[in-house]
Amino acid sequence: MSAAKTPVIDVHCHLTPQCFQRAVLAGDLWHGMSPADGELSNLKNRWLPDRRIEEMDALGIDMQLVSSTDVFFQYEREASVTAAIARDCNDELAELVRAHPDRFMGIGTLPMQDTKLAVAELERAMGELGLKGMMVNDHVNGLTYDHESFRDLWAAADELGAFVLFHQFHPTTVAYRTMSYFLFNSVGNLVDRTLTFGALVYGGVVDDFPNIKFCFAHAGGYIPYALDRMDKGWEKFEDSRGRTLGPPSSYANRFYYDTVVFKDTHLRFLVDMVGADRMVFGTDWPAPMDVDDPVRRIENTPVLADAERAAILGGTTATIFG
């Protein structure tokens, strides 16, 4: 176990399912998906659990909360196909957890374009399979999560006390302006997370469903930097306040945020804006945009106090997952 007093749990890490890999590497399609999906050029995505655990040990990570790679969202497909993809992905995650319960937990993927199917798969994933919640895109074919069509899903997630991780997939908002220079991810990713915050806050979702543990990947994107301007707009334009009960900044500490930022200045700013008790350790492993040496980075950074370090490495996740 790492130097932290409580286990270090990485809440933001991914898996490309072996059931997909076996099919496409044998020359077949998998629910219509091909070898071009799944990021197989990144050899870490091909690792089996034992090799994955070796890497966790080297990094000082005690447990991973694993989610399927974001390409498996597949919201644009026929809902029944996406439901089959989600079921297979979630079954494999559950198998990983059963085989290594002291090293892995899982959050599922859902057919979000069909709320009835999404609710059924969430209930199966958290009930029969023992997963902890779900990872979802920032939008579903352009719809944001304040839309009425998602109310039944949020109600089910609230009843189950689900952990919900927001993580982008293409197209991000920026993609409508440019696909050049990797901006669809390096910028669009962060814009999308900020728009999701706005939808959940102004749309009343976070007030209506207080038992959901909403978490923003990639440290919440631009959320902490946008709050002052959002507050100014809230103050000056009363008819644009939606269903908020206070200014947007008053909601910032109602969410969780992972630690996937790359500069100490940004890490410190996020702590100052939302508090270390709302921050959870994350790496984005095994993506190319993951954080280098992530545990020791938190342990050794001079911008955190010891109590903040303890909260980020283990204390906050302990309050979420017990």
Side-chain angles (χ1 to χ4, degrees), residues 223-253:
I223 293 168
Y225 313 99
L227 290 172
D228 64 338
R229 189 168 182 85
M230 294 177 77
D231 280 0
K232 186 70 171 181
W234 186 91
E235 175 188 344
K236 293 296 184 180
F237 298 95
E238 293 186 20
D239 59 348
S240 295
R241 291 180 179 176
R243 296 183 54 216
T244 56
L245 304 178
S249 62
S250 68
Y251 286 85
N253 63 0

PDB file of all heavy atoms in Angstrom, residues 223-253:
ATOM      1  N   ILE A 223     -14.171  25.067 -15.517  1.00  0.00           N
ATOM      2  CA  ILE A 223     -15.155  25.461 -14.500  1.00  0.00           C
ATOM      3  C   ILE A 223     -14.581  26.443 -13.482  1.00  0.00           C
ATOM      4  O   ILE A 223     -15.171  27.515 -13.263  1.00  0.00           O
ATOM      5  CB  ILE A 223     -15.738  24.224 -13.786  1.00  0.00           C
ATOM      6  CG1 ILE A 223     -16.566  23.393 -14.756  1.00  0.00           C
ATOM      7  CG2 ILE A 223     -16.614  24.655 -12.600  1.00  0.00           C
ATOM      8  CD1 ILE A 223     -16.945  22.020 -14.222  1.00  0.00           C
ATOM      9  N   PRO A 224     -13.452  26.136 -12.828  1.00  0.00           N
ATOM     10  CA  PRO A 224     -12.991  27.070 -11.782  1.00  0.00           C
ATOM     11  C   PRO A 224     -12.630  28.442 -12.321  1.00  0.00           C
ATOM     12  O   PRO A 224     -12.713  29.433 -11.592  1.00  0.00           O
ATOM     13  CB  PRO A 224     -11.765  26.369 -11.191  1.00  0.00           C
ATOM     14  CG  PRO A 224     -11.345  25.387 -12.220  1.00  0.00           C
ATOM     15  CD  PRO A 224     -12.581  24.953 -12.932  1.00  0.00           C
ATOM     16  N   TYR A 225     -12.273  28.529 -13.607  1.00  0.00           N
ATOM     17  CA  TYR A 225     -11.883  29.814 -14.198  1.00  0.00           C
ATOM     18  C   TYR A 225     -13.095  30.580 -14.711  1.00  0.00           C
ATOM     19  O   TYR A 225     -13.013  31.791 -14.933  1.00  0.00           O
ATOM     20  CB  TYR A 225     -10.895  29.570 -15.343  1.00  0.00           C
ATOM     21  CG  TYR A 225      -9.805  28.604 -14.960  1.00  0.00           C
ATOM     22  CD1 TYR A 225      -9.873  27.266 -15.316  1.00  0.00           C
ATOM     23  CD2 TYR A 225      -8.727  29.023 -14.182  1.00  0.00           C
ATOM     24  CE1 TYR A 225      -8.897  26.366 -14.935  1.00  0.00           C
ATOM     25  CE2 TYR A 225      -7.743  28.135 -13.787  1.00  0.00           C
ATOM     26  CZ  TYR A 225      -7.832  26.798 -14.170  1.00  0.00           C
ATOM     27  OH  TYR A 225      -6.869  25.916 -13.765  1.00  0.00           O
ATOM     28  N   ALA A 226     -14.221  29.881 -14.896  1.00  0.00           N
ATOM     29  CA  ALA A 226     -15.423  30.513 -15.446  1.00  0.00           C
ATOM     30  C   ALA A 226     -16.370  31.029 -14.377  1.00  0.00           C
ATOM     31  O   ALA A 226     -17.296  31.795 -14.684  1.00  0.00           O
ATOM     32  CB  ALA A 226     -16.167  29.506 -16.337  1.00  0.00           C
ATOM     33  N   LEU A 227     -16.164  30.643 -13.124  1.00  0.00           N
ATOM     34  CA  LEU A 227     -17.169  30.922 -12.097  1.00  0.00           C
ATOM     35  C   LEU A 227     -17.411  32.414 -11.886  1.00  0.00           C
ATOM     36  O   LEU A 227     -18.558  32.840 -11.687  1.00  0.00           O
ATOM     37  CB  LEU A 227     -16.752  30.274 -10.773  1.00  0.00           C
ATOM     38  CG  LEU A 227     -16.828  28.746 -10.747  1.00  0.00           C
ATOM     39  CD1 LEU A 227     -16.218  28.212  -9.454  1.00  0.00           C
ATOM     40  CD2 LEU A 227     -18.265  28.264 -10.892  1.00  0.00           C
ATOM     41  N   ASP A 228     -16.356  33.239 -11.921  1.00  0.00           N
ATOM     42  CA  ASP A 228     -16.579  34.664 -11.648  1.00  0.00           C
ATOM     43  C   ASP A 228     -17.435  35.307 -12.731  1.00  0.00           C
ATOM     44  O   ASP A 228     -18.338  36.101 -12.442  1.00  0.00           O
ATOM     45  CB  ASP A 228     -15.252  35.410 -11.456  1.00  0.00           C
ATOM     46  CG  ASP A 228     -14.381  35.427 -12.696  1.00  0.00           C
ATOM     47  OD1 ASP A 228     -14.562  34.559 -13.575  1.00  0.00           O
ATOM     48  OD2 ASP A 228     -13.502  36.311 -12.773  1.00  0.00           O
ATOM     49  N   ARG A 229     -17.197  34.948 -13.988  1.00  0.00           N
ATOM     50  CA  ARG A 229     -18.007  35.518 -15.062  1.00  0.00           C
ATOM     51  C   ARG A 229     -19.432  34.946 -15.042  1.00  0.00           C
ATOM     52  O   ARG A 229     -20.404  35.655 -15.324  1.00  0.00           O
ATOM     53  CB  ARG A 229     -17.347  35.270 -16.418  1.00  0.00           C
ATOM     54  CG  ARG A 229     -18.027  36.016 -17.549  1.00  0.00           C
ATOM     55  CD  ARG A 229     -17.216  36.002 -18.829  1.00  0.00           C
ATOM     56  NE  ARG A 229     -17.874  36.756 -19.880  1.00  0.00           N
ATOM     57  CZ  ARG A 229     -17.763  38.079 -20.052  1.00  0.00           C
ATOM     58  NH1 ARG A 229     -16.998  38.791 -19.242  1.00  0.00           N
ATOM     59  NH2 ARG A 229     -18.410  38.680 -21.037  1.00  0.00           N
ATOM     60  N   MET A 230     -19.549  33.669 -14.720  1.00  0.00           N
ATOM     61  CA  MET A 230     -20.885  33.092 -14.576  1.00  0.00           C
ATOM     62  C   MET A 230     -21.661  33.785 -13.457  1.00  0.00           C
ATOM     63  O   MET A 230     -22.853  34.076 -13.594  1.00  0.00           O
ATOM     64  CB  MET A 230     -20.786  31.595 -14.314  1.00  0.00           C
ATOM     65  CG  MET A 230     -20.228  30.809 -15.487  1.00  0.00           C
ATOM     66  SD  MET A 230     -20.037  29.025 -15.143  1.00  0.00           S
ATOM     67  CE  MET A 230     -21.739  28.494 -15.298  1.00  0.00           C
ATOM     68  N   ASP A 231     -20.983  34.074 -12.357  1.00  0.00           N
ATOM     69  CA  ASP A 231     -21.636  34.790 -11.262  1.00  0.00           C
ATOM     70  C   ASP A 231     -22.065  36.199 -11.685  1.00  0.00           C
ATOM     71  O   ASP A 231     -23.144  36.672 -11.315  1.00  0.00           O
ATOM     72  CB  ASP A 231     -20.695  34.889 -10.064  1.00  0.00           C
ATOM     73  CG  ASP A 231     -20.660  33.611  -9.235  1.00  0.00           C
ATOM     74  OD1 ASP A 231     -21.361  32.645  -9.591  1.00  0.00           O
ATOM     75  OD2 ASP A 231     -19.919  33.585  -8.225  1.00  0.00           O
ATOM     76  N   LYS A 232     -21.221  36.867 -12.453  1.00  0.00           N
ATOM     77  CA  LYS A 232     -21.558  38.210 -12.919  1.00  0.00           C
ATOM     78  C   LYS A 232     -22.797  38.173 -13.811  1.00  0.00           C
ATOM     79  O   LYS A 232     -23.706  39.006 -13.680  1.00  0.00           O
ATOM     80  CB  LYS A 232     -20.374  38.805 -13.683  1.00  0.00           C
ATOM     81  CG  LYS A 232     -20.567  40.259 -14.096  1.00  0.00           C
ATOM     82  CD  LYS A 232     -20.532  41.193 -12.902  1.00  0.00           C
ATOM     83  CE  LYS A 232     -20.503  42.655 -13.337  1.00  0.00           C
ATOM     84  NZ  LYS A 232     -20.450  43.571 -12.178  1.00  0.00           N
ATOM     85  N   GLY A 233     -22.840  37.202 -14.720  1.00  0.00           N
ATOM     86  CA  GLY A 233     -24.017  37.059 -15.566  1.00  0.00           C
ATOM     87  C   GLY A 233     -25.261  36.727 -14.763  1.00  0.00           C
ATOM     88  O   GLY A 233     -26.359  37.239 -15.040  1.00  0.00           O
ATOM     89  N   TRP A 234     -25.104  35.874 -13.758  1.00  0.00           N
ATOM     90  CA  TRP A 234     -26.228  35.510 -12.890  1.00  0.00           C
ATOM     91  C   TRP A 234     -26.755  36.742 -12.155  1.00  0.00           C
ATOM     92  O   TRP A 234     -27.962  36.922 -12.002  1.00  0.00           O
ATOM     93  CB  TRP A 234     -25.743  34.460 -11.894  1.00  0.00           C
ATOM     94  CG  TRP A 234     -26.806  33.860 -11.008  1.00  0.00           C
ATOM     95  CD1 TRP A 234     -27.546  32.736 -11.254  1.00  0.00           C
ATOM     96  CD2 TRP A 234     -27.228  34.340  -9.730  1.00  0.00           C
ATOM     97  NE1 TRP A 234     -28.397  32.482 -10.214  1.00  0.00           N
ATOM     98  CE2 TRP A 234     -28.220  33.457  -9.262  1.00  0.00           C
ATOM     99  CE3 TRP A 234     -26.857  35.426  -8.936  1.00  0.00           C
ATOM    100  CZ2 TRP A 234     -28.856  33.624  -8.033  1.00  0.00           C
ATOM    101  CZ3 TRP A 234     -27.485  35.606  -7.705  1.00  0.00           C
ATOM    102  CH2 TRP A 234     -28.465  34.705  -7.264  1.00  0.00           C
ATOM    103  N   GLU A 235     -25.837  37.607 -11.717  1.00  0.00           N
ATOM    104  CA  GLU A 235     -26.226  38.821 -10.991  1.00  0.00           C
ATOM    105  C   GLU A 235     -26.954  39.812 -11.899  1.00  0.00           C
ATOM    106  O   GLU A 235     -27.961  40.412 -11.498  1.00  0.00           O
ATOM    107  CB  GLU A 235     -24.963  39.480 -10.414  1.00  0.00           C
ATOM    108  CG  GLU A 235     -25.207  40.812  -9.739  1.00  0.00           C
ATOM    109  CD  GLU A 235     -23.916  41.518  -9.369  1.00  0.00           C
ATOM    110  OE1 GLU A 235     -22.847  40.881  -9.359  1.00  0.00           O
ATOM    111  OE2 GLU A 235     -23.988  42.741  -9.120  1.00  0.00           O
ATOM    112  N   LYS A 236     -26.475  39.985 -13.115  1.00  0.00           N
ATOM    113  CA  LYS A 236     -26.989  41.047 -13.979  1.00  0.00           C
ATOM    114  C   LYS A 236     -28.219  40.647 -14.780  1.00  0.00           C
ATOM    115  O   LYS A 236     -28.980  41.508 -15.216  1.00  0.00           O
ATOM    116  CB  LYS A 236     -25.882  41.495 -14.940  1.00  0.00           C
ATOM    117  CG  LYS A 236     -24.700  42.185 -14.261  1.00  0.00           C
ATOM    118  CD  LYS A 236     -25.137  43.502 -13.612  1.00  0.00           C
ATOM    119  CE  LYS A 236     -23.948  44.248 -13.018  1.00  0.00           C
ATOM    120  NZ  LYS A 236     -24.370  45.525 -12.385  1.00  0.00           N
ATOM    121  N   PHE A 237     -28.426  39.351 -15.003  1.00  0.00           N
ATOM    122  CA  PHE A 237     -29.511  38.905 -15.876  1.00  0.00           C
ATOM    123  C   PHE A 237     -30.390  37.901 -15.124  1.00  0.00           C
ATOM    124  O   PHE A 237     -30.229  36.689 -15.251  1.00  0.00           O
ATOM    125  CB  PHE A 237     -28.951  38.294 -17.164  1.00  0.00           C
ATOM    126  CG  PHE A 237     -28.155  39.270 -17.979  1.00  0.00           C
ATOM    127  CD1 PHE A 237     -26.776  39.335 -17.855  1.00  0.00           C
ATOM    128  CD2 PHE A 237     -28.787  40.154 -18.849  1.00  0.00           C
ATOM    129  CE1 PHE A 237     -26.034  40.236 -18.592  1.00  0.00           C
ATOM    130  CE2 PHE A 237     -28.052  41.070 -19.592  1.00  0.00           C
ATOM    131  CZ  PHE A 237     -26.674  41.117 -19.460  1.00  0.00           C
ATOM    132  N   GLU A 238     -31.314  38.425 -14.339  1.00  0.00           N
ATOM    133  CA  GLU A 238     -32.138  37.591 -13.479  1.00  0.00           C
ATOM    134  C   GLU A 238     -32.973  36.592 -14.274  1.00  0.00           C
ATOM    135  O   GLU A 238     -33.252  35.490 -13.788  1.00  0.00           O
ATOM    136  CB  GLU A 238     -33.055  38.461 -12.620  1.00  0.00           C
ATOM    137  CG  GLU A 238     -32.320  39.314 -11.595  1.00  0.00           C
ATOM    138  CD  GLU A 238     -33.273  40.042 -10.663  1.00  0.00           C
ATOM    139  OE1 GLU A 238     -34.444  39.603 -10.552  1.00  0.00           O
ATOM    140  OE2 GLU A 238     -32.869  41.033 -10.047  1.00  0.00           O
ATOM    141  N   ASP A 239     -33.383  36.949 -15.482  1.00  0.00           N
ATOM    142  CA  ASP A 239     -34.228  36.055 -16.263  1.00  0.00           C
ATOM    143  C   ASP A 239     -33.445  34.897 -16.866  1.00  0.00           C
ATOM    144  O   ASP A 239     -34.023  34.034 -17.533  1.00  0.00           O
ATOM    145  CB  ASP A 239     -34.960  36.823 -17.362  1.00  0.00           C
ATOM    146  CG  ASP A 239     -34.032  37.523 -18.340  1.00  0.00           C
ATOM    147  OD1 ASP A 239     -32.822  37.612 -18.036  1.00  0.00           O
ATOM    148  OD2 ASP A 239     -34.512  37.990 -19.393  1.00  0.00           O
ATOM    149  N   SER A 240     -32.123  34.879 -16.642  1.00  0.00           N
ATOM    150  CA  SER A 240     -31.286  33.786 -17.165  1.00  0.00           C
ATOM    151  C   SER A 240     -30.735  32.900 -16.047  1.00  0.00           C
ATOM    152  O   SER A 240     -29.766  32.183 -16.253  1.00  0.00           O
ATOM    153  CB  SER A 240     -30.129  34.369 -17.984  1.00  0.00           C
ATOM    154  OG  SER A 240     -30.613  35.034 -19.134  1.00  0.00           O
ATOM    155  N   ARG A 241     -31.365  32.937 -14.896  1.00  0.00           N
ATOM    156  CA  ARG A 241     -30.867  32.167 -13.758  1.00  0.00           C
ATOM    157  C   ARG A 241     -31.349  30.726 -13.745  1.00  0.00           C
ATOM    158  O   ARG A 241     -30.915  29.925 -12.897  1.00  0.00           O
ATOM    159  CB  ARG A 241     -31.277  32.849 -12.450  1.00  0.00           C
ATOM    160  CG  ARG A 241     -30.558  34.167 -12.215  1.00  0.00           C
ATOM    161  CD  ARG A 241     -31.000  34.815 -10.915  1.00  0.00           C
ATOM    162  NE  ARG A 241     -30.274  36.073 -10.685  1.00  0.00           N
ATOM    163  CZ  ARG A 241     -30.502  36.903  -9.663  1.00  0.00           C
ATOM    164  NH1 ARG A 241     -31.456  36.589  -8.771  1.00  0.00           N
ATOM    165  NH2 ARG A 241     -29.804  38.006  -9.523  1.00  0.00           N
ATOM    166  N   GLY A 242     -32.232  30.384 -14.658  1.00  0.00           N
ATOM    167  CA  GLY A 242     -32.738  29.028 -14.690  1.00  0.00           C
ATOM    168  C   GLY A 242     -33.378  28.650 -13.368  1.00  0.00           C
ATOM    169  O   GLY A 242     -34.149  29.415 -12.800  1.00  0.00           O
ATOM    170  N   ARG A 243     -33.015  27.473 -12.863  1.00  0.00           N
ATOM    171  CA  ARG A 243     -33.591  26.990 -11.605  1.00  0.00           C
ATOM    172  C   ARG A 243     -32.592  27.062 -10.453  1.00  0.00           C
ATOM    173  O   ARG A 243     -32.773  26.400  -9.430  1.00  0.00           O
ATOM    174  CB  ARG A 243     -34.076  25.547 -11.796  1.00  0.00           C
ATOM    175  CG  ARG A 243     -35.210  25.413 -12.816  1.00  0.00           C
ATOM    176  CD  ARG A 243     -35.703  23.988 -12.906  1.00  0.00           C
ATOM    177  NE  ARG A 243     -36.069  23.510 -11.575  1.00  0.00           N
ATOM    178  CZ  ARG A 243     -35.882  22.258 -11.160  1.00  0.00           C
ATOM    179  NH1 ARG A 243     -35.305  21.367 -11.962  1.00  0.00           N
ATOM    180  NH2 ARG A 243     -36.232  21.894  -9.953  1.00  0.00           N
ATOM    181  N   THR A 244     -31.554  27.871 -10.621  1.00  0.00           N
ATOM    182  CA  THR A 244     -30.556  27.985  -9.554  1.00  0.00           C
ATOM    183  C   THR A 244     -31.149  28.606  -8.306  1.00  0.00           C
ATOM    184  O   THR A 244     -32.044  29.446  -8.370  1.00  0.00           O
ATOM    185  CB  THR A 244     -29.362  28.834 -10.010  1.00  0.00           C
ATOM    186  OG1 THR A 244     -29.839  30.106 -10.453  1.00  0.00           O
ATOM    187  CG2 THR A 244     -28.592  28.168 -11.136  1.00  0.00           C
ATOM    188  N   LEU A 245     -30.609  28.215  -7.157  1.00  0.00           N
ATOM    189  CA  LEU A 245     -31.017  28.767  -5.864  1.00  0.00           C
ATOM    190  C   LEU A 245     -29.988  29.751  -5.322  1.00  0.00           C
ATOM    191  O   LEU A 245     -30.152  30.274  -4.225  1.00  0.00           O
ATOM    192  CB  LEU A 245     -31.235  27.636  -4.861  1.00  0.00           C
ATOM    193  CG  LEU A 245     -32.244  26.563  -5.293  1.00  0.00           C
ATOM    194  CD1 LEU A 245     -32.335  25.462  -4.239  1.00  0.00           C
ATOM    195  CD2 LEU A 245     -33.613  27.180  -5.551  1.00  0.00           C
ATOM    196  N   GLY A 246     -28.936  29.978  -6.090  1.00  0.00           N
ATOM    197  CA  GLY A 246     -27.874  30.904  -5.719  1.00  0.00           C
ATOM    198  C   GLY A 246     -26.943  31.034  -6.896  1.00  0.00           C
ATOM    199  O   GLY A 246     -27.128  30.393  -7.935  1.00  0.00           O
ATOM    200  N   PRO A 247     -25.916  31.867  -6.780  1.00  0.00           N
ATOM    201  CA  PRO A 247     -24.988  32.050  -7.902  1.00  0.00           C
ATOM    202  C   PRO A 247     -24.242  30.756  -8.218  1.00  0.00           C
ATOM    203  O   PRO A 247     -24.083  29.883  -7.359  1.00  0.00           O
ATOM    204  CB  PRO A 247     -24.049  33.142  -7.401  1.00  0.00           C
ATOM    205  CG  PRO A 247     -24.150  33.105  -5.915  1.00  0.00           C
ATOM    206  CD  PRO A 247     -25.555  32.691  -5.612  1.00  0.00           C
ATOM    207  N   PRO A 248     -23.772  30.613  -9.448  1.00  0.00           N
ATOM    208  CA  PRO A 248     -23.099  29.371  -9.844  1.00  0.00           C
ATOM    209  C   PRO A 248     -21.940  28.975  -8.942  1.00  0.00           C
ATOM    210  O   PRO A 248     -21.732  27.783  -8.686  1.00  0.00           O
ATOM    211  CB  PRO A 248     -22.638  29.682 -11.270  1.00  0.00           C
ATOM    212  CG  PRO A 248     -23.640  30.651 -11.779  1.00  0.00           C
ATOM    213  CD  PRO A 248     -23.991  31.513 -10.598  1.00  0.00           C
ATOM    214  N   SER A 249     -21.182  29.948  -8.457  1.00  0.00           N
ATOM    215  CA  SER A 249     -20.033  29.602  -7.611  1.00  0.00           C
ATOM    216  C   SER A 249     -20.457  28.895  -6.333  1.00  0.00           C
ATOM    217  O   SER A 249     -19.675  28.136  -5.753  1.00  0.00           O
ATOM    218  CB  SER A 249     -19.223  30.854  -7.270  1.00  0.00           C
ATOM    219  OG  SER A 249     -20.013  31.775  -6.536  1.00  0.00           O
ATOM    220  N   SER A 250     -21.705  29.113  -5.892  1.00  0.00           N
ATOM    221  CA  SER A 250     -22.177  28.450  -4.675  1.00  0.00           C
ATOM    222  C   SER A 250     -22.405  26.961  -4.891  1.00  0.00           C
ATOM    223  O   SER A 250     -22.592  26.207  -3.930  1.00  0.00           O
ATOM    224  CB  SER A 250     -23.461  29.117  -4.176  1.00  0.00           C
ATOM    225  OG  SER A 250     -24.546  28.887  -5.063  1.00  0.00           O
ATOM    226  N   TYR A 251     -22.390  26.536  -6.144  1.00  0.00           N
ATOM    227  CA  TYR A 251     -22.563  25.119  -6.472  1.00  0.00           C
ATOM    228  C   TYR A 251     -21.236  24.399  -6.694  1.00  0.00           C
ATOM    229  O   TYR A 251     -21.225  23.170  -6.828  1.00  0.00           O
ATOM    230  CB  TYR A 251     -23.404  24.974  -7.743  1.00  0.00           C
ATOM    231  CG  TYR A 251     -24.874  25.258  -7.551  1.00  0.00           C
ATOM    232  CD1 TYR A 251     -25.367  26.555  -7.619  1.00  0.00           C
ATOM    233  CD2 TYR A 251     -25.781  24.234  -7.308  1.00  0.00           C
ATOM    234  CE1 TYR A 251     -26.707  26.822  -7.457  1.00  0.00           C
ATOM    235  CE2 TYR A 251     -27.133  24.480  -7.140  1.00  0.00           C
ATOM    236  CZ  TYR A 251     -27.595  25.784  -7.212  1.00  0.00           C
ATOM    237  OH  TYR A 251     -28.934  26.038  -7.029  1.00  0.00           O
ATOM    238  N   ALA A 252     -20.142  25.118  -6.773  1.00  0.00           N
ATOM    239  CA  ALA A 252     -18.874  24.503  -7.171  1.00  0.00           C
ATOM    240  C   ALA A 252     -18.491  23.342  -6.263  1.00  0.00           C
ATOM    241  O   ALA A 252     -17.961  22.320  -6.732  1.00  0.00           O
ATOM    242  CB  ALA A 252     -17.766  25.547  -7.202  1.00  0.00           C
ATOM    243  N   ASN A 253     -18.758  23.482  -4.966  1.00  0.00           N
ATOM    244  CA  ASN A 253     -18.367  22.415  -4.047  1.00  0.00           C
ATOM    245  C   ASN A 253     -19.472  21.383  -3.832  1.00  0.00           C
ATOM    246  O   ASN A 253     -19.447  20.624  -2.868  1.00  0.00           O
ATOM    247  CB  ASN A 253     -17.912  22.995  -2.704  1.00  0.00           C
ATOM    248  CG  ASN A 253     -19.013  23.726  -1.976  1.00  0.00           C
ATOM    249  OD1 ASN A 253     -20.142  23.815  -2.449  1.00  0.00           O
ATOM    250  ND2 ASN A 253     -18.696  24.270  -0.804  1.00  0.00           N
TER     251      ASN A 253
END
